Amino acid sequence: GGDGVLAGRHVVITAGPTREALDPVRFITNHSSGRMGYALAGACVDAGASVTLVSGPTALDVPAGVERVDVQSAADMHAAVMAVIDSADIFIGAAAVADYRPATTAADKIKKSDGDTSLALTRTRDIIADVAAAHPYLFTLGFAAETTDMQASARSKRERKKLSMVAGNVVGPEHAFGRDDNALFVVWDGGERELAKASKHELADQLVALIAERMAAEVGL
Ligand code: C5P
């Protein structure tokens, strides 16, 4: 609490990967480290906000002052967000939520056979799009992690999901995931800004300043 550009605000942040179970011992996941989301959680606390961090499995320590809710699957993350979102002023979707989950989760370990096999996948729900649709006056920040056409995809993702702001970043073996530095291309309604390569902590501070700036500008519209 106290002073700071987000004083009195409640921020809900998703971070990390999700795990989509095939059976009791196997799951589908991705390379997200959770670092960007955790850095944002710390930066929001430093800016005076109260922060709920809905986190998939990561190796990170929870930043001081942050309330963490641990989840595994995309469905768990969706439910945990919806349970706390009514009191939020800002939602940040920094999680790398699985787009698909196994169509069925076996109760027992699936046995191998000598032949090949295939896996039926079904879509997960889009958490940030559902949040934005249900709470049109909430400030929403999403990410667009792409290997190609990052800027165009950041712009179109913002419009398609009806978000206040999208931060695009290039991902791949040489970029972003698991590293402590990153560069961001930030888009909002009527503006764009490039945030030069910096540590995820420095970028989190810059994003928080930009969120506060855009929220103040929206009130003034
Ligand atoms: O569509 P795409 O997955 O590229 O969008 C990325 C953004 O959407 C991120 O902010 C991510 O946290 C959010 N997202 C979500 N729920 C999903 C998929 C993505 O909140 N099921």
Side-chain angles (χ1 to χ4, degrees):
D3 48 4
V5 293
L6 297 185
R9 305 287 196 179
H10 178 210
V11 187
V12 175
I13 304 177
T14 64
T18 65
R19 287 181 179 175
E20 309 303 324
L22 279 101
D23 69 15
V25 298
R26 305 183 180 96
F27 53 83
I28 296 173
T29 192
N30 59 65
H31 282 298
S32 171
S33 67
R35 283 184 187 162
M36 192 69 238
Y38 278 60
L40 279 161
C44 288
V45 167
D46 291 346
S50 67
V51 178
T52 307
L53 179 63
V54 180
S55 178
T58 72
L60 303 173
D61 293 326
V62 58
V66 170
E67 187 197 347
R68 184 170 70 183
V69 178
D70 290 308
V71 298
Q72 297 270 325
S73 68
D76 293 345
M77 185 174 276
H78 192 288
V81 167
M82 294 309 161
V84 296
I85 201 66
D86 283 352
S87 65
D89 303 290
I90 299 167
F91 176 75
I92 301 176
V97 185
D99 296 315
Y100 296 88
R101 63 174 170 79
T104 58
T105 302
D108 294 308
K109 186 180 173 189
I110 300 164
K111 305 275 188 207
K112 65 171 159 288
S113 61
D114 289 338
D116 295 339
T117 187
S118 63
L119 192 57
L121 299 176
T122 188
R123 284 296 306 269
T124 57
R125 285 161 73 186
D126 194 308
I127 300 167
I128 201 167
D130 284 359
V131 164
H135 299 273
Y137 297 107
L138 193 68
F139 190 96
T140 49
L141 167 63
F143 283 80
E146 308 289 344
T147 54
T148 58
D149 298 326
M150 183 272 283
Q151 297 198 349
S153 122
R155 292 183 193 108
S156 67
K157 204 152 287 191
R158 197 189 72 75
E159 296 193 1
R160 184 163 40 83
K161 300 193 187 198
K162 300 194 170 15
L163 307 183
S164 311
M165 184 178 276
V166 166
N169 61 299
V170 177
V171 292
E174 307 288 305
H175 301 277
F177 279 173
R179 293 184 49 144
D180 193 55
D181 61 7
N182 201 359
L184 297 175
F185 173 72
V186 189
V187 298
W188 59 89
D189 187 11
E192 299 183 346
R193 191 177 298 175
E194 291 194 42
L195 302 182
K197 187 163 161 175
S199 78
K200 289 180 179 176
H201 285 279
E202 287 168 56
L203 289 170
D205 287 338
Q206 293 178 50
L207 279 173
V208 165
L210 202 46
I211 290 169
E213 196 181 304
R214 293 315 308 160
M215 287 177 81
E218 282 175 15
V219 169
L221 288 181

